[in-house]
């Protein structure tokens, strides 16, 4: 840090020798940034990871709260006593890279749609102007035809006007066809966008769609003073299900949990597949305790069921899920609430699984 010019990096001192955070609340953000940098540096140095753009982005996502699921995977890996290797880190971030690429495609789709809208408007305006011009030209041609004994000049002028009339009619037809093609392309684009926001295994909205819903609901709920609660759910011992009964059985379990969670989905309750065996939910208009009761009721229903492997007829045994839940307005922003819910989920996993943990404001968890 001193080599980069931050001479106050050591000993908590600033350049003028005073404590680095002696200026009060104005330096809270500086302290937070420094803490984040320390965490990223410690992570890379502890596990001897190269200082590459990808590793820096991964560490930032894990420690800044922007990717709570990634942070939890790393915490579980470390808690299990396993080393964080470059190969393992690349493997768990592969899905996020796919999402980033997907978001890039979505951005290009949005730009294309904007261009199409602009083209359609211009085509419509041009066609309208052409139609008006055609009507007026047609009237002039008719007037010229009615003049008796016009002579050679007027006759040539009439022929020229007729030729222009024919061309403008063709132009109007072409513009109308272009409008229809643009409308058809926009419909196809809208269909592609809807399909891109659906998780095809479960039929639920995917992570990207949920983030858009969260942003909208947060804005509306804050304006109308409605309660807003977010929750993360994760299937317990899912790897064991896959390893023992195969991925087909694991996929059926994911679909079953998705169907159960979707039973309480409505205009004020949004359920999405966040990735892998993890789901995310958003409750609006009901209190934190009511949302907890709904989710815990589903957990109990799932725990009471006994499933069998359709292919082998072997029992799958008890299938359960754990969850963490947080009041969005107990935190500074939706991302902080998501991180708190994810940390509560991690606490539920560490505390025996098959339970829903509430994350109160302040970071402590309570059942």
């Amino acid at each position: 840090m001193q080599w980069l010019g931050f001479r106050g990096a050591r000993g908590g001192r600033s350049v003028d020798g005073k404590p680095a955070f002696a200026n009060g609340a104005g330096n809270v953000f500086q302290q937070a940034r420094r803490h984040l940098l320390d965490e990223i540096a410690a992570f890379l140095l502890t596990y001897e990871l190269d200082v590459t753009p990808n590793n820096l982005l991964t560490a930032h996502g894990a420690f800044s709260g922007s990717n709570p699921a990634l942070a939890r995977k790393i915490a579980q890996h470390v808690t299990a006593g396993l080393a964080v290797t470059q190969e393992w880190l690349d493997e768990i971030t592969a899905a996020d890279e796919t999402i980033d690429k997907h978001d890039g495609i979505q951005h290009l789709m949005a730009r294309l749609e904007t261009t199409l809208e602009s083209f359609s408007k211009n085509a419509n305006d041009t066609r309208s102007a052409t139609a008006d011009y055609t009507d007026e030209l047609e009237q002039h041609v008719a007037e010229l035809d009615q003049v008796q004994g016009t002579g050679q000049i007027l006759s040539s002028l009439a022929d020229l006007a007729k030729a222009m009339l024919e061309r403008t009619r063709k132009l109007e037809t072409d513009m109308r066809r272009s409008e229809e093609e643009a409308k058809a392309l926009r419909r196809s684009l809208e269909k592609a966008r809807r399909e891109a926001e659906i998780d095809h295994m479960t039929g639920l909205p995917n992570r990207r769609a949920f983030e858009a819903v969260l942003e909208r609901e947060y804005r509306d709920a804050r304006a109308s003073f409605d309660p807003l609660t977010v929750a993360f759910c994760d299937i317990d011992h899912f790897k064991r299900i896959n390893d023992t009964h195969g991925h087909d059985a694991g996929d059926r379990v994911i679909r079953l949990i998705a169907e159960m969670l979707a039973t309480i989905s409505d205009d004020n309750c949004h359920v999405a597949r966040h990735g892998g065996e993890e789901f995310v939910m958003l409750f609006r208009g009901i209190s934190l305790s009511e949302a907890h009761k709904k989710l815990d009721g589903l957990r109990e229903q799932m725990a009471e069921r006994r499933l069998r492997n359709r292919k082998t007829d072997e029992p799958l045994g008890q299938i359960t899920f754990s969850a963490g839940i947080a009041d969005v307005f107990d935190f500074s922003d939706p991302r902080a609430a998501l991180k708190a819910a994810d940390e509560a989920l991690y606490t539920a996993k560490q505390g025996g699984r098959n339970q829903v943990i509430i994350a109160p404001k302040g970071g402590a968890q309570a059942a």
Side-chain angles (χ1 to χ4, degrees):
M1 295 289 285
Q2 287 182 329
W3 182 78
L4 289 172
F6 297 96
R7 289 193 292 262
R10 288 187 179 177
R13 296 280 172 180
S14 63
V15 176
D16 59 5
K18 296 180 180 180
F21 306 109
N23 294 330
N27 280 323
V28 170
F29 296 108
Q30 180 184 356
Q31 186 177 11
R33 289 195 297 269
R34 181 167 297 177
H35 178 69
L36 176 59
L37 283 172
D38 289 343
E39 286 191 317
I40 292 173
F43 175 73
L44 296 177
L45 293 173
T46 299
Y47 298 106
E48 299 182 351
L49 299 170
D50 292 335
V51 184
T52 64
N54 285 339
N55 284 347
L56 287 171
L57 285 172
T58 298
H60 180 273
F63 297 111
S64 69
S66 62
N67 194 337
L70 175 62
R72 182 160 45 81
K73 287 178 182 178
I74 293 175
Q76 289 174 336
H77 195 73
V78 172
T79 302
L82 302 173
V84 177
T85 64
Q86 187 65 60
E87 182 180 2
W88 178 81
L89 201 62
D90 291 342
E91 180 182 343
I92 66 168
T93 55
D96 286 334
E97 290 175 1
T98 300
I99 291 172
D100 289 341
K101 291 176 182 177
H102 177 72
D103 287 343
I105 293 172
Q106 292 296 321
H107 178 65
L108 290 176
M109 289 174 65
R111 290 179 57 189
L112 176 58
E113 183 176 33
T114 301
T115 303
L116 279 173
E117 289 177 356
S118 177
F119 171 77
S120 296
K121 183 180 183 304
N122 292 336
N124 181 266
D125 293 343
T126 303
R127 183 177 59 80
S128 298
T130 303
D132 294 340
Y133 173 71
T134 301
D135 292 341
E136 187 174 349
L137 187 59
E138 192 171 22
Q139 181 180 352
H140 290 319
V141 170
E143 291 173 353
L144 287 172
D145 286 340
Q146 291 174 2
V147 176
Q148 300 297 323
T150 58
Q152 185 64 34
I153 295 178
L154 288 178
S155 177
S156 299
L157 183 58
D159 291 341
L160 179 59
K162 289 177 182 178
M164 291 175 63
L165 178 60
E166 183 180 348
R167 291 181 181 179
T168 55
R169 282 174 175 166
K170 184 178 183 303
L171 177 60
E172 184 181 354
T173 301
D174 291 343
M175 293 303 296
R176 183 178 287 108
R177 185 183 302 113
S178 296
E179 275 189 88
E180 294 301 322
E181 291 174 352
K183 289 178 182 178
L185 183 55
R186 191 185 299 112
R187 288 193 295 268
S188 298
L189 190 63
E190 182 59 31
K191 181 180 178 182
R193 176 181 285 105
R194 289 196 300 269
E195 290 180 351
E197 292 181 345
I198 294 296
D199 174 64
H200 294 288
M201 178 188 291
T202 63
L204 292 175
N206 58 20
R207 171 179 166 182
R208 180 184 179 276
F210 180 82
E211 288 175 351
V213 170
L214 176 59
E215 182 179 347
R216 183 186 70 243
E217 293 291 342
Y218 175 73
R219 182 179 61 251
D220 294 346
R222 185 172 57 180
S224 58
F225 300 100
D226 287 339
L228 195 64
T229 302
V230 67
F232 271 115
C233 307
D234 187 271
I235 302 172
D236 295 328
H237 300 297
F238 185 73
K239 185 177 185 301
R240 187 170 65 190
I241 296 172
N242 273 339
D243 291 345
T244 304
H245 301 282
H247 289 279
D248 287 343
D251 290 347
R252 286 195 293 273
V253 169
I254 289 176
R255 285 192 288 268
L256 176 62
I257 299 290
E259 291 171 4
M260 178 168 286
L261 293 176
T263 59
I264 61 172
S265 179
D266 55 30
D267 291 341
N268 291 321
C269 177
H270 305 278
V271 182
R273 186 182 179 198
H274 198 257
E277 67 274 21
E278 189 172 76
F279 300 87
V280 63
M281 305 181 72
L282 186 68
F283 301 88
R284 179 179 170 185
I286 62 175
S287 66
L288 177 65
S289 59
E290 290 175 309
H292 178 274
K293 184 177 180 181
K294 277 179 174 281
L295 188 54
D296 201 47
L298 291 178
R299 179 197 59 77
E300 290 180 352
Q301 291 178 34
M302 190 68 234
E304 291 172 357
R305 301 184 64 167
R306 296 296 182 271
L307 307 178
R308 302 188 73 86
N309 188 332
R310 292 179 182 177
K311 287 188 175 181
T312 64
D313 201 38
E314 295 178 356
L316 294 178
Q318 185 186 42
I319 303 296
T320 63
F321 68 81
S322 301
I325 189 167
D327 185 332
V328 175
F329 293 115
D330 275 346
F331 299 88
S332 58
D333 55 52
R335 178 174 290 181
L338 281 170
K339 182 178 181 181
D342 190 75
E343 289 173 351
L345 169 59
Y346 181 66
T347 300
K349 291 284 190 180
Q350 294 296 103
R353 296 179 172 83
N354 191 24
Q355 57 183 321
V356 180
I357 297 294
I358 296 175
K361 184 177 180 180
Q365 284 82 32

